[in-house]
Amino acid sequence: MRKEKDKVKIIPLGGLNEIGKNLTAIEYKNDIIVIDCGLKFPDEEMLGIDVVIPDISYLQKNIDKVKGIFLTHGHEDHIGALPYVLKEMNVPVYGTKLTLGIVQTKLKEHNLLSVVDLKCVKPRDIVRLESISVEFIRTSHSIADSVAIAIHTPVGIVLHTGDFKIDYTPIDGCVADLTRFAELGKKGVLAMLADSTNVERPGYTMSESIVGETFEDIFSSARGRIIVATFASHVHRIQQIIRAAIKYDRKVAVSGRSMENIMEVGMELGYIDADKDIFINVDNINKYPESKIVIITTGSQGEPMSALSRMAASEHKKISILPGDMVVISANPIPGNEKLISRVINQLFKKGAEVIYESLADVHVSGHACQEELKLMHTLVKPKFFIPVHGEYRHLKQHAELAIKLGMPSNNIIIGDNGEVIEVSRDAIRKNGTVVSGQVFVDGLGVGDVGNIVLRDRKHLSQDGILTVVVTIEKESGSVIAGPDIISRGFVYVRESEDLMGEARELVRDALRECEEKRITEWASIKSNIKEVLRMFLYEKTKRKPMILPIIMEI
Amino acid sequence: MRKEKDKVKIIPLGGLNEIGKNLTAIEYKNDIIVIDCGLKFPDEEMLGIDVVIPDISYLQKNIDKVKGIFLTHGHEDHIGALPYVLKEMNVPVYGTKLTLGIVQTKLKEHNLLSVVDLKCVKPRDIVRLESISVEFIRTSHSIADSVAIAIHTPVGIVLHTGDFKIDYTPIDGCVADLTRFAELGKKGVLAMLADSTNVERPGYTMSESIVGETFEDIFSSARGRIIVATFASHVHRIQQIIRAAIKYDRKVAVSGRSMENIMEVGMELGYIDADKDIFINVDNINKYPESKIVIITTGSQGEPMSALSRMAASEHKKISILPGDMVVISANPIPGNEKLISRVINQLFKKGAEVIYESLADVHVSGHACQEELKLMHTLVKPKFFIPVHGEYRHLKQHAELAIKLGMPSNNIIIGDNGEVIEVSRDAIRKNGTVVSGQVFVDGLGVGDVGNIVLRDRKHLSQDGILTVVVTIEKESGSVIAGPDIISRGFVYVRESEDLMGEARELVRDALRECEEKRITEWASIKSNIKEVLRMFLYEKTKRKPMILPIIMEI
């Protein structure tokens, strides 16, 4: 009997075969713990969608078992779904200090702060649940206070690395806890789930300190103002900008709501170390010489409403770009954002600013482990079984191959998918069925009320617009009393297409007459006749296929 | 008097502050020549648009002067607008053999082949016009038969490099004509327009031969089929694939319409050198062992309808991906295409194929000059004046800075914009006014009938959909006879939102009643009342702003 019962279930509900929306459930007997609770930003085809979150039906069904959400770090793809998920399922949230600091800001915005139980943990802390315990282990990443999570179960240890890199010279001096990884490895790790983001890159990810050296170079030579855009959550990056500002005697102004938020949280919690005197209000930047100013801002991804984009487009209320400004974009473009960033860079150059960005200098390093770092982690932890996570299929596949090259039998590796139940016993790992999973679209206040049909319609509307055809028909006789009127949006310039629309109206009129003569009175038939006639006519004339919406009013 | 008259006008109508849509007019007295006639693919916000072409109003107005279109090479961003432009302005088209071969295929599709005067030229040929002459000079690029164009005018020589790189070991053995560039430099070049695409990259672009070496490695180790996707126009790349196929005794099958076209044109004109026996029909690939097959295909940019995408999605009629297939994506992602390509790579991996792409091996090199090559061109040509072209502002700006570093006075450099008239005399270069320019959208059969209003509507529709509100009103009394009916598309799931729509209908009913009571009878007022009431209600309930289209029928 024991054999059959003693299994840990690993159920990824997000983060496999995709970048983002990370959420993994680990289940043993009466305990389910949730690792991370992230969102994903919509793909291009998800028109009008604000964010995408994981489907948590499985957790809701098993809510009695769910002991809490355990966070590895404070990035959106790991914490962003919390406000939505906690509304459905109010469980304790465990995380390190900075992670919870960021979560608090988020919960406050959603009026949830008072109802959620936030439990602050430190690296090496252990949370004991009914039959398992959860341990936090320090890692390095592009945000401070990141951790891996080890789940100690009677079957064995399951280790989730979270997002990580190995940085021997991190800004806060807190190197990843390699010793503990080695200890666990010695003790025996049953299964490891590890970050696959950078598995395609050979070598090592450079240390965050490198960026500090680049900042030093830039600050030592700049004559005008320096404006640095970076990720708001990257407190170490921000710390390095502040250090350079102190060294080169510049005041620091902050622009952009999320940057202001993090500055407050980071200072309060001790993650950003700076004398308050160094900061000045954005309103006062003109009171200082240009050579004495640094502005730290959001917008490193070219986001249209961000502070940097508004400066570049002359739409920022308080900061105008001046010739001689040195703008540093301290970030990599996230795939899909290249054109937005490029637009901002062009605008800045046109305004006479110098612009320094990734292709020109080491102003950014990744937060994820490259191949050599992954090998180090595998070698220290020596897991029996391995599940690559955090990546598209190509990344998972290549991470599996990396493990095989290190000597792991390929049968001990599972490339899973969201919703698949991965069962691990002492001797074996296998997929055993699936649970409900998927993506839930958030659009405005609606969570899940926009689905594939709505998106398909938006896509159709976006390509060729819509033609609405309205006609009023007398119920008894079936004869047309008013209309047909045709109104189009997003199809053609109406003024230039009067002939086209006139012809279209005639065709609809003919179709209606034919229906009347043939005594076709079902609306559905009349509508489909109108649709078909118009569709063919418009496609022949324009090679376009607008949505056609016939509306019949009956009196 | 002479002084005032002796000016060459350089009028870029496309290709500045953008990538693509290259078209430059050079005007001297009664001669206007047009260099290239390219299209641009639409940005994300240009919803539903197929391609973008330059506004040629200026050329049409001065049609008597226009002596011809002179092509530098056969890429879409240099020839793609020809079918549209030639319909408006039928002038002779000059180009090298392969360039015109590709143009012919294009004109055939548009039923224009018989009416257009194509004039085939060779490098070093000179075309003499009324007061100027036009010379073609061999360059290297990622398509064979590319040329620079030197315009000899009484004021001096204007040199347009076209897209170029310096490849000392090109596949066809025809190195760029550095000697001629040096000769012109010695003679004295008045102004140079040069390709800025890769100005941000230090060093040299690697030779195309490097890719051949990578192919050799891949072919020597592959056991299953090899499928290579690349740009159809890249005959040298295709030649290298064929050479490797011959060496490793594999048959070649071709898939994808544009690839089939280029294979025909390339073989016929002698740009692809291969025995016909090596080719087999796609229908017959299963008659050979997998180790004896190479498939050359389109789809290196992940284009959804391309052959490779269809194979990856199991939608290709004739080719199914097999485990053990080796797929080589021999191209760089063009910015904006990253996600499409990534999707294809993931699908291929899932089907058990090996996939080799840019981040894993040298399977692609650029066709554009990096910094050291640009320096070589500037140093050979030694132009008095310089106009960086082919690039966004950041590229033009950095190319200008490169020229300044080489010793050119900054006053001798013009960073221009499309539509600006750049006047060059013997002693000076300056901007003098502008002409009509811009982008013309092609959507289906429509050229220019979709403008900003239509695009704005498409954008609006794509984000939150549309609500159509229809009501039939009696003319005399103003009282409602039928409706209001509300039909939405792309807004919410109708079934799940019955309450919302019911409430909305009530609100419209109230608004109509109020109008009736207040004796408001103008349609415009009634409509704007309906709009306002709905807009506020829906935003409050959903935080969305669908397009609201009120339609009033009167009987």
Side-chain angles (χ1 to χ4, degrees):
Chain A
M1 281 304 288
R2 184 173 179 276
K3 229 181 180 177
E4 213 178 323
K5 269 188 192 162
D6 251 11
K7 281 172 186 160
V8 185
K9 286 186 198 168
I10 298 170
I11 309 171
L13 294 173
L16 295 198
N17 297 308
E18 63 181 343
I19 303 286
K21 187 163 131 317
N22 297 296
L23 192 155
T24 308
I26 312 276
E27 181 170 353
Y28 179 76
K29 290 189 174 163
N30 281 324
D31 288 328
I32 292 179
I33 69 154
V34 177
I35 298 181
D36 289 330
C37 187
L39 61 72
K40 186 166 84 164
F41 292 102
D43 288 346
E44 274 158 46
E45 61 258 48
M46 299 175 189
L47 293 166
I49 300 301
D50 300 327
V51 301
V52 182
I53 61 173
D55 185 324
I56 54 155
S57 308
Y58 178 74
L59 301 176
Q60 288 176 288
K61 251 193 218 163
N62 295 280
I63 186 68
D64 293 343
K65 291 188 181 181
V66 180
K67 298 297 176 347
I69 299 172
F70 294 72
L71 302 173
T72 59
H73 63 283
H75 278 156
E76 287 290 350
D77 53 338
H78 293 258
I79 65 163
L82 276 176
Y84 309 101
V85 167
L86 290 171
K87 270 176 207 160
E88 303 296 322
M89 176 180 96
N90 192 354
V91 297
V93 177
Y94 297 82
T96 52
K97 201 163 63 170
L98 180 65
T99 305
L100 291 191
I102 295 171
V103 167
Q104 277 176 336
T105 311
K106 192 172 279 293
L107 295 181
K108 215 180 282 173
E109 285 168 10
H110 283 81
N111 294 318
L112 283 171
L113 191 52
S114 56
V115 299
V116 176
D117 182 13
L118 297 178
K119 293 178 182 290
C120 192
V121 296
K122 295 187 308 299
R124 295 245 178 168
D125 274 2
I126 291 179
V127 176
R128 281 173 220 288
L129 304 173
E130 211 173 301
S131 53
I132 64 176
S133 57
V134 184
E135 177 184 1
F136 299 86
I137 306 165
R138 183 186 300 288
T139 58
S140 291
H141 187 43
S142 46
I143 185 168
D145 237 8
S146 61
V147 288
I149 290 177
I151 302 106
H152 299 264
T153 80
V155 192
I157 298 168
V158 176
L159 176 73
H160 192 307
T161 65
D163 288 355
F164 80 98
K165 67 188 274 190
I166 310 285
D167 189 339
Y168 298 108
T169 53
I171 304 314
D172 56 6
C174 302
V175 179
D177 193 349
L178 300 180
T179 311
R180 185 62 187 149
F181 286 114
E183 274 177 7
L184 291 176
K186 193 180 169 198
K187 204 170 160 187
V189 169
L190 182 68
M192 178 168 81
L193 294 78
D195 180 11
S196 311
T197 312
N198 270 359
V199 69
E200 292 182 348
R201 300 197 199 169
Y204 279 93
T205 296
M206 282 190 295
S207 168
E208 178 64 24
S209 328
I210 290 288
V211 180
E213 291 170 21
T214 311
F215 283 155
E216 289 251 341
D217 289 348
I218 294 170
F219 278 62
S220 69
S221 64
R223 308 247 165 108
R225 300 187 306 185
I226 298 174
I227 300 171
V228 190
T230 192
F231 301 106
S233 60
H234 204 329
V235 292
H236 287 163
R237 187 69 48 85
I238 295 166
Q239 178 72 66
Q240 298 204 85
I241 302 165
I242 292 173
R243 275 188 201 162
I246 294 169
K247 179 159 177 189
Y248 292 95
D249 194 25
R250 287 176 180 254
K251 293 287 180 191
V252 176
V254 177
S255 177
R257 191 169 58 98
S258 59
M259 194 59 85
E260 290 161 25
N261 284 343
I262 201 75
M263 213 56 96
E264 206 181 302
V265 172
M267 298 272 290
E268 194 183 306
L269 302 180
Y271 289 88
I272 295 174
D273 176 28
D275 198 293
K276 284 216 165 163
D277 289 353
I278 197 171
F279 293 100
I280 60 168
N281 193 296
V282 170
D283 294 318
N284 297 330
I285 49 174
N286 295 328
K287 295 183 185 164
Y288 294 80
E290 288 166 19
S291 62
K292 294 293 167 199
I293 293 288
V294 179
I295 299 167
I296 304 179
T297 180
T298 54
S300 62
Q301 293 301 312
E303 308 92 322
M305 299 307 293
S306 67
L308 185 65
S309 293
R310 284 183 283 128
M311 292 177 211
S314 303
E315 286 165 5
H316 197 287
K317 280 181 197 153
K318 297 177 177 176
I319 305 171
S320 309
I321 297 294
L322 307 172
D325 281 349
M326 169 79 82
V327 181
V328 182
I329 297 178
S330 179
N332 264 23
I334 294 170
N337 293 345
E338 294 84 355
K339 284 192 174 183
L340 289 174
I341 299 173
S342 205
R343 185 177 302 176
V344 171
I345 292 172
N346 287 323
Q347 289 171 327
L348 292 169
F349 268 127
K350 274 190 199 164
K351 291 194 155 38
E354 286 270 315
V355 191
I356 296 181
Y357 44 100
E358 199 224 350
S359 48
L360 301 180
D362 288 336
V363 287
H364 180 68
V365 296
S366 171
H368 298 275
C370 290
Q371 289 168 6
E372 295 306 308
E373 292 154 275
L374 293 173
K375 289 178 194 166
L376 173 56
M377 185 60 86
H378 280 265
T379 304
L380 285 176
V381 174
K382 296 189 286 282
K384 181 158 189 179
F385 301 113
F386 172 50
I387 303 163
V389 296
H390 298 177
E392 299 175 13
Y393 188 85
R394 60 197 257 196
H395 304 111
L396 306 181
K397 171 81 178 163
Q398 285 173 61
H399 202 174
E401 276 167 16
L402 180 139
I404 291 168
K405 272 188 197 151
L406 292 172
M408 183 174 278
S410 63
N411 282 339
N412 290 16
I413 303 171
I414 292 267
I415 297 183
D417 202 355
N418 299 327
E420 285 183 339
V421 179
I422 300 166
E423 279 186 356
V424 195
S425 69
R426 279 191 180 78
D427 317 313
I429 187 166
R430 62 164 188 152
K431 294 184 184 180
N432 188 10
T434 58
V435 303
V436 173
S437 71
Q439 44 194 15
V440 175
F441 299 133
V442 179
D443 181 2
L445 294 182
V447 179
D449 68 340
V450 168
N452 289 330
I453 297 173
V454 174
L455 286 187
R456 201 191 54 199
D457 283 349
R458 286 184 186 171
K459 176 80 183 169
H460 188 171
L461 291 166
S462 77
Q463 290 304 297
D464 288 323
I466 185 167
L467 255 86
T468 307
V469 185
V470 198
V471 59
T472 306
I473 290 180
E474 204 206 29
K475 208 187 244 166
E476 302 299 315
S477 63
S479 58
V480 174
I481 296 182
D485 283 3
I486 300 184
I487 296 108
S488 84
R489 288 291 183 275
F491 174 53
V492 284
Y493 269 142
V494 178
R495 274 190 207 166
E496 292 186 5
S497 313
E498 275 174 13
D499 292 353
L500 186 75
M501 297 310 249
E503 272 187 77
R505 203 156 24 239
E506 276 313 311
L507 283 173
V508 174
R509 215 166 264 157
D510 293 348
L512 287 167
R513 204 172 297 134
E514 212 184 298
C515 287
E516 203 185 332
E517 281 164 12
K518 288 189 183 164
R519 309 229 168 260
I520 297 172
T521 52
E522 286 155 38
W523 285 17
S525 306
I526 300 176
K527 282 183 184 176
S528 78
N529 276 354
I530 294 174
K531 264 193 184 175
E532 193 50 23
V533 156
L534 275 184
R535 196 187 58 75
M536 281 169 56
F537 170 71
L538 295 174
Y539 188 71
E540 192 203 311
K541 289 288 185 183
T542 67
K543 288 274 180 293
R544 298 180 206 168
K545 297 175 176 173
M547 183 182 280
I548 297 170
L549 188 64
I551 303 174
I552 298 176
M553 307 281 287
E554 219 176 40
I555 59 167
Chain B
M1 280 308 287
R2 185 174 180 278
K3 228 183 182 177
E4 213 176 324
K5 270 189 191 160
D6 251 14
K7 280 171 186 161
V8 185
K9 287 187 197 168
I10 298 169
I11 309 171
L13 294 173
L16 295 197
N17 298 307
E18 64 182 342
I19 303 285
K21 186 164 130 321
N22 297 295
L23 192 157
T24 309
I26 313 274
E27 182 170 355
Y28 179 75
K29 290 190 176 164
N30 281 324
D31 288 327
I32 292 180
I33 69 153
V34 177
I35 298 182
D36 288 331
C37 187
L39 60 71
K40 187 166 84 166
F41 292 102
D43 289 346
E44 276 158 45
E45 61 258 46
M46 299 176 190
L47 294 165
I49 299 301
D50 301 325
V51 301
V52 182
I53 60 172
D55 185 324
I56 54 155
S57 308
Y58 178 75
L59 301 175
Q60 288 176 288
K61 249 192 220 164
N62 295 281
I63 186 68
D64 294 343
K65 291 187 180 181
V66 180
K67 298 298 174 350
I69 298 172
F70 293 73
L71 302 173
T72 59
H73 63 283
H75 279 157
E76 287 290 348
D77 54 338
H78 294 257
I79 66 164
L82 276 176
Y84 309 102
V85 167
L86 290 171
K87 270 176 206 159
E88 303 295 321
M89 177 180 96
N90 192 353
V91 297
V93 177
Y94 297 83
T96 52
K97 201 164 61 170
L98 180 65
T99 306
L100 290 191
I102 295 170
V103 167
Q104 276 176 335
T105 311
K106 192 172 279 294
L107 295 182
K108 214 180 281 174
E109 284 168 11
H110 283 81
N111 293 319
L112 282 171
L113 191 52
S114 57
V115 300
V116 177
D117 182 13
L118 297 178
K119 292 175 182 292
C120 192
V121 295
K122 295 187 307 298
R124 296 247 178 166
D125 274 2
I126 292 179
V127 176
R128 281 172 220 288
L129 304 173
E130 210 172 307
S131 54
I132 64 177
S133 56
V134 183
E135 178 184 1
F136 299 85
I137 306 165
R138 182 186 300 289
T139 58
S140 291
H141 187 42
S142 46
I143 185 168
D145 238 9
S146 62
V147 288
I149 291 176
I151 303 106
H152 299 264
T153 80
V155 192
I157 299 167
V158 175
L159 175 74
H160 191 306
T161 65
D163 288 355
F164 80 99
K165 68 187 275 191
I166 309 287
D167 189 340
Y168 299 108
T169 53
I171 304 312
D172 57 4
C174 301
V175 180
D177 193 349
L178 300 179
T179 312
R180 186 60 187 150
F181 286 114
E183 275 176 6
L184 290 176
K186 193 180 168 197
K187 205 171 159 186
V189 169
L190 183 67
M192 178 168 81
L193 293 77
D195 180 11
S196 310
T197 311
N198 270 359
V199 68
E200 292 181 348
R201 300 197 199 167
Y204 279 93
T205 296
M206 282 189 296
S207 168
E208 179 64 23
S209 328
I210 290 288
V211 181
E213 291 170 22
T214 310
F215 284 154
E216 288 252 339
D217 290 347
I218 294 170
F219 277 62
S220 69
S221 64
R223 306 248 167 107
R225 299 185 306 182
I226 299 173
I227 300 170
V228 189
T230 192
F231 301 106
S233 60
H234 205 329
V235 292
H236 287 163
R237 186 70 48 84
I238 294 165
Q239 179 71 67
Q240 298 203 86
I241 301 166
I242 293 174
R243 275 188 200 161
I246 294 169
K247 181 161 177 187
Y248 292 94
D249 193 25
R250 287 176 180 253
K251 294 286 179 190
V252 176
V254 177
S255 177
R257 192 169 57 99
S258 59
M259 194 60 85
E260 290 161 24
N261 284 343
I262 201 74
M263 212 58 95
E264 204 181 305
V265 173
M267 299 271 290
E268 193 184 309
L269 301 181
Y271 289 88
I272 295 174
D273 177 27
D275 199 291
K276 284 215 166 164
D277 289 353
I278 197 171
F279 293 101
I280 60 168
N281 194 295
V282 170
D283 294 318
N284 297 330
I285 48 174
N286 295 329
K287 297 182 183 163
Y288 295 79
E290 288 166 21
S291 62
K292 294 292 167 202
I293 294 288
V294 178
I295 299 166
I296 304 179
T297 180
T298 54
S300 62
Q301 294 301 311
E303 309 91 322
M305 299 306 293
S306 67
L308 185 65
S309 295
R310 283 183 284 128
M311 292 177 211
S314 304
E315 287 165 3
H316 197 287
K317 281 181 197 154
K318 298 179 175 175
I319 305 172
S320 308
I321 297 294
L322 307 172
D325 280 350
M326 169 78 82
V327 181
V328 182
I329 298 177
S330 179
N332 265 22
I334 293 169
N337 293 346
E338 293 84 355
K339 284 191 173 181
L340 288 174
I341 299 172
S342 206
R343 184 175 303 176
V344 171
I345 292 173
N346 288 323
Q347 288 171 328
L348 292 169
F349 268 127
K350 275 190 198 163
K351 292 194 153 40
E354 286 271 315
V355 191
I356 297 181
Y357 44 101
E358 200 224 349
S359 46
L360 301 180
D362 288 336
V363 287
H364 180 68
V365 296
S366 171
H368 298 274
C370 291
Q371 288 168 6
E372 295 307 308
E373 292 154 276
L374 293 173
K375 289 178 195 167
L376 172 57
M377 185 61 84
H378 280 263
T379 305
L380 286 176
V381 174
K382 297 189 284 281
K384 181 158 189 179
F385 300 114
F386 172 50
I387 304 163
V389 296
H390 297 177
E392 298 176 15
Y393 188 85
R394 61 198 256 198
H395 305 110
L396 307 181
K397 171 82 178 162
Q398 285 173 61
H399 202 173
E401 276 166 17
L402 180 140
I404 291 168
K405 272 188 196 150
L406 292 173
M408 183 175 278
S410 62
N411 282 338
N412 290 16
I413 302 170
I414 291 267
I415 297 183
D417 202 354
N418 298 328
E420 284 182 339
V421 178
I422 300 167
E423 279 186 356
V424 194
S425 68
R426 280 192 180 75
D427 317 312
I429 187 166
R430 63 165 189 150
K431 295 183 184 180
N432 189 10
T434 57
V435 303
V436 173
S437 72
Q439 44 193 17
V440 175
F441 300 133
V442 178
D443 180 3
L445 294 181
V447 179
D449 68 340
V450 168
N452 290 328
I453 297 174
V454 174
L455 286 186
R456 201 192 54 201
D457 283 349
R458 287 184 185 170
K459 177 83 184 166
H460 189 171
L461 291 166
S462 76
Q463 291 303 298
D464 288 322
I466 186 167
L467 255 86
T468 306
V469 185
V470 198
V471 58
T472 305
I473 290 180
E474 204 206 31
K475 208 188 244 166
E476 302 299 315
S477 62
S479 57
V480 174
I481 296 181
D485 284 2
I486 300 184
I487 295 107
S488 84
R489 286 292 182 278
F491 174 52
V492 284
Y493 268 142
V494 178
R495 273 189 208 167
E496 292 185 6
S497 312
E498 275 175 13
D499 292 354
L500 185 76
M501 297 310 249
E503 271 188 78
R505 205 157 21 241
E506 276 312 311
L507 282 173
V508 174
R509 215 166 263 156
D510 293 347
L512 287 166
R513 204 172 296 134
E514 212 184 296
C515 286
E516 202 184 332
E517 281 163 13
K518 288 188 183 165
R519 310 227 168 262
I520 297 172
T521 53
E522 285 154 41
W523 285 16
S525 307
I526 300 175
K527 282 182 184 176
S528 77
N529 276 353
I530 294 174
K531 264 191 184 175
E532 192 52 22
V533 156
L534 275 184
R535 195 187 59 74
M536 281 168 56
F537 169 72
L538 295 173
Y539 188 72
E540 193 202 310
K541 289 287 183 182
T542 67
K543 289 274 181 292
R544 297 180 207 167
K545 297 175 177 173
M547 182 181 282
I548 297 170
L549 188 64
I551 303 175
I552 299 175
M553 306 282 287
E554 217 175 42
I555 60 167

